[in-house]
Amino acid sequence: MSMSHLYGRREEEEEGVEIESFEVTDWDLANEFNPERRRFRQTKEQATYGIWADRDSDEDERPSFGGKRSKDYTTPVSFVSAGVRKTAAEEKQQQQEGGSDDSDDDSPPAPPPPPRATAPKKLQMGTFGGNQSQRFAGGIQSGKGIGNWEKHTKGIGQKLLQKMGYQPGKGLGKNAQGIVNPIEAKVRKGKGAVGAYGNERTQQSLQDFPVVDSEEEEEKEFKKELGQWRKDPTGTAGKKKPKYSYKTADELKAKGKIAYRGTPASAGELAQVKVIDMTGREQKVYYSYSQISNKHSVPDEAPPSLATRDQKGSGFALPELEHNLQLLIDLTEQDILQSARRLQHEKDVVVSLSHESRALQSRLDTEQDAIKRMETVLALVERFPTEETAPGEGPTLQECARMFETLQTDYYEEYKTMGLGDLAVAVVHPLLKEKLSSWDPLKDSSYCLEDIGQWRAILESQDMHSSGPHSNMDPYHRLLWEVWIPVMRSCVSNWQPRLVGPMVDCLDLWAPLLPPWILDQLLEQMILPRLQREVDNWNPLTDTVPIHSWIHPWLPLLKARLEPLYPPIRSKLSNALQRWHPSDASARLILQPWKNVFTAGAWEAFMVKNIIPKLALCLEELVINPHQQQMEPFHWVMDWEGMLSPSSLVSLLDKNFFPKWLQVLCSWLSNSPNYEEITKWYLGWKSMFSDVLLAQPLIKEKFNEALDIMNRAVSSGGYMQPGARENIAYLTQTERRKDFQYEALQERRDAESVAHRGISTGVPTNFKDLIQTKAEENNIVFMPLVGKRHEGKQLYTFGRIVIYIDRGVVFVQGEKTWVPTSLQSLIDMAK
């Protein structure tokens, strides 16, 4: 290797390969003599990849010992233009345009972009140049020689275009709006980004798409704002006249408002802030934040270059004067801004004070209206009678009512706020008490009823629910408690409980106007004690007035409160019945009104204890004689059928009547009787029983037993009356048919009632539910026996009968075995 290689002589070994020289450059000299000069910042890519990082075209390349150097992409790139053949007129026009393009080509090439050290990279892209003319390689003109290759072919392409409507020399498409020439390319000056060198549209794009590009306006605005960073590469900046920008006071105020809104500090604080700007070449000091926004106030004035400052000389450099002038301008601007802010503050204070003034005026008007209303209310209140008012001089009860109505309707807020309803205690009570002083409720129960009703509408409050006498009672309740109740208390204390009509009528008339708790107090504390004392003094053997005549009228008002009176009444009635005989019908008349008053259990117990033993004794004394029968004792017993329960009456007949009756029948059949007389006797006794009793299973069983006895008698041997057997058989068949028809009718009625009830309550889903429904209808207890089973089936109690259910059949416990039975028979046996 020769020494020329070491000292940097360049040799080209291969085409397109450049070898970097090693000679001393300006960069080396500047680096040695000015070591503190500004150096370029290392990019993130260079910090990552080192010497293998891609280089930016705008950077100054530092000499290195590398082998190859990157190609220069800043040189123009020529493209070959293509297109279709044009008409003669279009070619002539293009030649004229070509001449102008050639003249443009003769212009010197655009200078390269400024180095990186002079301005930021972003602003290097702002060196905008004009549109360059297109260069075509090889001298080939657009539209010439296009399609010449078709002369060597059959011209299939041109034929296809003509078939589709294409006409030579015109545009493509239905309306000839398509372009014929292909899209032209334009050479960019450097390696900057798109749009860094101005508008890149070609003449063809301007002709085909004459649309104003909004990006051009943005670029012009961008150049206008950042013009101070642009450096004129031709060196003509010194020849341009400086442009000055002027601000009016309104513009300064508007700009100051925006800055003031953006910063929460006050105007005095902003004026005293010292700001050091180190974003430029030199350190600058500002005395307010607004000066920072004004530092680019001359957009078209570029900063003077070094060469220009050298040309001016030292005689024109007056930095102190410029500083003082700038300081005066800044202080003046601050004074204007502070004055504008004070003015705005004063305006805001005026608006706030005016709003507060209107609010106070509105409140004052409201207070004046309230004062006027209060004066009117006071005038009305002063009209009410006082303790000093002489009797007969003040307003009457009706006038007071109208005044209270006026207060409620016209001055409702004052009435509620000041509690004017309590005035009734002092105003109305004396008047009403004076009016009720001569009232007798038992003689004239409707006296003063309308007045009390009127005061109820005025004084009663829906918000207060009083439940007893206390200090916070409703005014209306207090009126009744302090005025009306004392009159009723004195009346009840002198009242005779047996004169029940006037007192009951009076309470029925006043009950709608009385609060529930006052009515309860009256009934429980006044009426009921008087009734208890009267019941204690009552003697059923000596008193001619039945007790139910003066007790039962109180049932609608007292209801369950009368329960404490019933045990003494039953006890006295029981004592009175000790010497009673069934032939005395007065006992039934006295007891009958109490059947529906006493509970079912209490009534049944009273009958079993006091009535049934007397009736059983009467039946035992009954003599059954077919030839001469005395029916009075039997009628005495049957008169109590409506008073006794069916089960009690059936049990009474079963024990005290039917054994003697069947015995007489058997003895009569054993003595060669007349069967027609026996039939009449049988039907006569059966007609003495009601349908309810005949429907009872035990009664049916006894009469069927009598038929069986007669059938056995006519079936036995011996002398027999002619036709007796047929008469007895017919009688038996007739009676059995009647029983069957009655049972069928009863079952039909039960089915209809169940179906009707099933519409609303639901049809029972199984046989057990049906039994439960029937038990509820007939008031029979139906419940399972805990731990009791028969052959794995659960046992139930149906009244006093034990049953179990198997496959929809009810089995009743007999003496030795379980007997299946129907549902109606089960109900009859349980009753």
Side-chain angles (χ1 to χ4, degrees):
M1 182 180 294
S2 62
M3 296 299 291
S4 61
H5 289 86
L6 298 175
Y7 291 99
R9 288 193 304 177
R10 183 180 299 175
E11 293 183 3
E12 297 182 359
E13 298 177 359
E14 296 180 2
E15 184 178 1
V17 179
E18 297 179 355
I19 299 176
E20 191 173 16
S21 62
F22 296 92
E23 60 188 6
V24 179
T25 62
D26 295 338
W27 188 90
D28 296 329
L29 293 175
N31 189 38
E32 291 296 331
F33 291 101
N34 189 11
E36 296 181 357
R37 69 186 179 88
R38 186 177 179 182
R39 300 175 181 271
F40 71 96
R41 288 185 62 184
Q42 190 179 25
T43 62
K44 185 176 180 180
E45 188 175 9
Q46 291 173 349
T48 304
Y49 299 102
I51 62 173
W52 288 280
D54 295 334
R55 298 192 179 191
D56 195 347
S57 61
D58 296 335
E59 295 178 347
D60 292 337
E61 297 184 359
R62 180 178 180 275
S64 62
F65 294 95
K68 293 184 180 181
R69 186 171 61 183
S70 61
K71 293 184 179 181
D72 185 9
Y73 292 101
T74 60
T75 58
V77 180
S78 299
F79 294 89
V80 178
S81 176
V84 298
R85 185 177 297 277
K86 298 183 179 180
T87 60
E90 293 177 352
E91 290 180 356
K92 185 176 181 180
Q93 182 180 1
Q94 186 175 1
Q95 289 176 1
Q96 294 176 358
E97 294 176 357
S100 61
D101 293 341
D102 294 339
S103 63
D104 293 340
D105 294 341
D106 295 338
S107 62
R116 180 181 181 87
T118 59
K121 182 177 180 181
K122 178 180 177 182
L123 299 177
Q124 289 181 14
M125 297 164 59
T127 57
F128 305 100
N131 294 333
Q132 293 183 354
S133 60
Q134 300 290 337
R135 297 175 178 268
F136 304 98
I140 300 176
Q141 297 182 358
S142 174
K144 294 184 179 181
I146 300 301
N148 292 335
W149 51 273
E150 283 197 348
K151 63 185 178 180
H152 303 290
T153 64
K154 295 182 180 181
I156 186 63
Q158 188 71 16
K159 292 179 182 179
L160 291 176
L161 289 174
Q162 291 177 358
K163 287 182 179 181
M164 289 185 286
Y166 170 70
Q167 297 179 5
K170 295 185 179 181
L172 299 176
K174 180 178 180 182
N175 299 321
Q177 74 275 15
I179 63 174
V180 178
N181 298 332
I183 300 175
E184 298 180 1
K186 185 175 181 180
V187 180
R188 190 175 298 150
K189 295 178 181 180
K191 298 174 65 178
V194 176
Y197 305 102
N199 189 6
E200 298 182 358
R201 296 187 62 179
T202 61
Q203 191 68 22
Q204 177 188 356
S205 66
L206 292 175
Q207 292 177 0
D208 295 335
F209 304 100
V211 180
V212 179
D213 195 352
S214 61
E215 295 181 357
E216 295 179 2
E217 297 179 358
E218 295 178 0
E219 295 296 338
K220 291 179 181 179
E221 191 71 22
F222 181 72
K223 287 193 296 180
K224 184 177 180 181
E225 292 178 357
L226 303 179
Q228 66 272 18
W229 290 104
R230 186 184 65 188
K231 286 191 175 183
D232 192 356
T234 60
T236 60
K239 298 180 183 180
K240 293 183 179 179
K241 293 183 179 181
K243 295 182 180 179
Y244 301 97
S245 62
Y246 302 94
K247 288 183 181 179
T248 63
D250 296 335
E251 294 177 354
L252 183 61
K253 292 177 184 178
K255 193 169 185 180
K257 286 181 180 179
I258 298 174
Y260 177 70
R261 291 174 185 171
T263 57
S266 62
E269 294 176 355
L270 290 173
Q272 299 175 1
V273 171
K274 183 178 180 181
V275 183
I276 301 175
D277 184 11
M278 302 182 67
T279 59
R281 295 180 178 180
E282 299 176 358
Q283 174 179 327
K284 296 182 180 181
V285 179
Y286 300 99
Y287 294 95
S288 65
Y289 286 109
S290 62
Q291 293 181 3
I292 299 177
S293 61
N294 297 334
K295 65 179 181 178
H296 296 155
S297 60
V298 188
D300 293 337
E301 181 183 358
S305 61
L306 183 62
T308 305
R309 279 184 279 184
D310 294 341
Q311 290 175 3
K312 288 184 179 180
S314 61
F316 294 93
L318 300 173
E320 293 82 2
L321 180 58
E322 292 178 359
H323 175 73
N324 293 336
L325 291 175
Q326 185 65 37
L327 183 59
L328 290 174
I329 292 172
D330 295 340
L331 292 176
T332 304
E333 290 181 357
Q334 291 301 320
D335 292 339
I336 294 172
L337 290 176
Q338 290 182 6
S339 299
R341 289 165 187 164
R342 283 196 297 271
L343 179 61
Q344 185 63 34
H345 175 70
E346 297 298 334
K347 290 181 179 180
D348 294 341
V349 170
V350 170
V351 173
S352 177
L353 291 177
S354 62
H355 176 72
E356 186 176 357
S357 175
R358 289 193 298 270
L360 291 176
Q361 185 63 35
S362 176
R363 184 174 179 181
L364 181 61
D365 297 339
T366 304
E367 295 293 339
Q368 289 179 353
D369 294 340
I371 291 173
K372 292 180 181 179
R373 292 172 63 89
M374 289 298 298
E375 292 176 352
T376 308
V377 171
L378 183 59
L380 286 174
V381 172
E382 289 177 350
R383 293 176 54 189
F384 288 124
T386 59
E387 296 179 357
E388 300 176 357
T389 304
E393 294 183 358
T396 61
L397 196 62
Q398 295 295 332
E399 293 176 355
C400 291
R402 286 194 293 269
M403 291 165 59
F404 268 97
E405 289 177 354
T406 303
L407 289 174
Q408 281 189 341
T409 54
D410 298 341
Y411 307 98
Y412 182 77
E413 294 182 0
E414 291 78 4
Y415 182 85
K416 287 295 184 183
T417 303
M418 303 181 67
L420 297 180
D422 295 334
L423 285 174
V425 179
V427 175
V428 183
H429 288 197
L431 298 176
L432 195 59
K433 187 179 295 184
E434 182 181 358
K435 190 173 183 178
L436 293 177
S437 60
S438 60
W439 176 47
D440 187 0
L442 299 180
K443 294 180 180 180
D444 187 6
S445 58
S446 62
Y447 179 76
C448 208
L449 185 66
E450 295 181 358
D451 296 336
I452 298 295
Q454 184 180 11
W455 283 105
R456 179 190 182 187
I458 296 173
L459 298 178
E460 189 174 22
S461 176
Q462 300 295 333
D463 300 333
M464 300 179 64
H465 301 281
S466 301
S467 58
H470 50 79
S471 59
N472 295 327
M473 276 196 302
D474 187 86
Y476 174 70
H477 296 183
R478 182 180 294 275
L479 176 67
L480 292 176
W481 181 255
E482 296 182 359
V483 177
W484 188 82
I485 285 294
V487 178
M488 291 299 300
R489 185 180 290 110
S490 62
C491 178
V492 172
S493 61
N494 299 323
W495 167 62
Q496 293 296 327
R498 299 194 182 190
L499 301 176
V500 66
M503 183 60 70
V504 171
D505 294 340
C506 179
L507 293 182
D508 287 339
L509 191 63
W510 283 87
L513 298 179
L514 300 178
W517 68 273
I518 289 182
L519 183 60
D520 294 341
Q521 289 275 345
L522 178 63
L523 294 175
E524 294 177 1
Q525 303 297 331
M526 302 178 192
I527 302 296
L528 192 59
R530 292 301 309 275
L531 292 177
Q532 287 178 341
R533 287 196 297 269
E534 193 65 23
V535 168
D536 293 339
N537 297 330
W538 172 67
N539 187 357
L541 298 177
T542 59
D543 289 342
T544 58
V545 179
I547 189 173
H548 66 271
S549 63
W550 49 274
I551 293 292
H552 289 182
W554 292 105
L555 287 173
L557 290 173
L558 292 173
K559 298 179 182 178
R561 297 185 184 93
L562 291 174
E563 288 290 341
L565 301 180
Y566 297 155
I569 292 174
R570 287 195 293 266
S571 177
K572 291 191 175 187
L573 290 175
S574 178
N575 293 332
L577 291 173
Q578 288 182 357
R579 298 181 180 180
W580 169 76
H581 190 268
S583 60
D584 187 3
S586 60
R588 183 167 55 85
L589 297 177
I590 294 175
L591 295 178
Q592 188 174 6
W594 293 98
K595 180 182 179 182
N596 296 325
V597 176
F598 294 156
T599 60
W603 177 256
E604 185 69 19
F606 182 81
M607 291 289 107
V608 170
K609 179 180 178 182
N610 301 291
I611 302 300
I612 292 180
K614 303 288 184 178
L615 298 180
L617 183 61
C618 184
L619 288 177
E620 289 179 358
E621 295 175 355
L622 175 65
V623 177
I624 301 176
N625 186 1
H627 302 287
Q628 187 179 0
Q629 181 66 50
Q630 297 292 330
M631 299 299 296
E632 285 80 5
F634 186 79
H635 290 309
W636 296 339
V637 174
M638 298 307 292
D639 288 341
W640 288 87
E641 181 181 357
M643 305 287 289
L644 301 175
S645 63
S647 59
S648 299
L649 187 56
V650 168
S651 177
L652 178 65
L653 295 173
D654 181 36
K655 293 180 181 178
N656 301 286
F657 173 73
F658 280 106
K660 284 194 291 183
W661 186 75
L662 293 176
Q663 185 179 2
V664 170
L665 177 62
C666 291
S667 60
W668 192 4
L669 291 173
S670 61
N671 295 324
S672 301
N674 186 353
Y675 283 94
E676 292 182 0
E677 294 180 357
I678 292 178
T679 303
K680 292 180 181 180
W681 180 79
Y682 170 83
L683 294 176
W685 275 109
K686 189 173 183 180
S687 63
M688 302 297 293
F689 291 82
S690 64
D691 294 338
V692 177
L693 287 177
L694 292 176
Q696 299 296 323
L698 192 57
I699 301 298
K700 289 181 183 180
E701 182 179 352
K702 295 300 180 181
F703 280 107
N704 291 333
E705 185 177 353
L707 291 176
D708 293 339
I709 292 174
M710 287 187 287
N711 286 324
R712 287 197 298 270
V714 297
S715 298
S716 62
Y719 174 77
M720 185 68 59
Q721 181 181 353
R725 183 177 300 175
E726 290 78 3
N727 293 336
I728 296 300
Y730 177 76
L731 177 63
T732 303
Q733 185 178 3
T734 303
E735 294 297 320
R736 298 286 170 82
R737 186 183 302 110
K738 288 180 180 180
D739 294 341
F740 178 76
Q741 291 177 354
Y742 180 80
E743 290 181 358
L745 179 61
Q746 190 67 25
E747 290 181 358
R748 189 181 303 111
R749 291 177 180 175
D750 294 340
E752 290 177 357
S753 63
V754 170
H756 179 69
R757 187 173 58 255
I759 296 175
S760 57
T761 61
V763 180
T765 56
N766 51 33
F767 192 61
K768 178 184 175 183
D769 294 339
L770 181 60
I771 296 176
Q772 179 70 32
T773 304
K774 287 291 186 180
E776 293 176 357
E777 291 177 358
N778 295 275
N779 296 323
I780 300 174
V781 178
F782 175 68
M783 58 182 297
L785 293 174
V786 180
K788 300 291 184 179
R789 292 183 176 272
H790 175 73
E791 296 180 355
K793 305 295 189 301
Q794 176 66 47
L795 296 181
Y796 300 91
T797 58
F798 192 84
R800 294 174 293 180
I801 305 172
V802 179
I803 65 171
Y804 76 88
I805 304 170
D806 185 14
R807 298 178 184 179
V809 179
V810 180
F811 290 86
V812 181
Q813 186 178 18
E815 295 180 357
K816 296 182 179 180
T817 183
W818 293 85
V819 181
T821 184
S822 64
L823 183 59
Q824 186 59 41
S825 300
L826 177 65
I827 295 172
D828 296 338
M829 287 188 290
K831 288 183 177 180

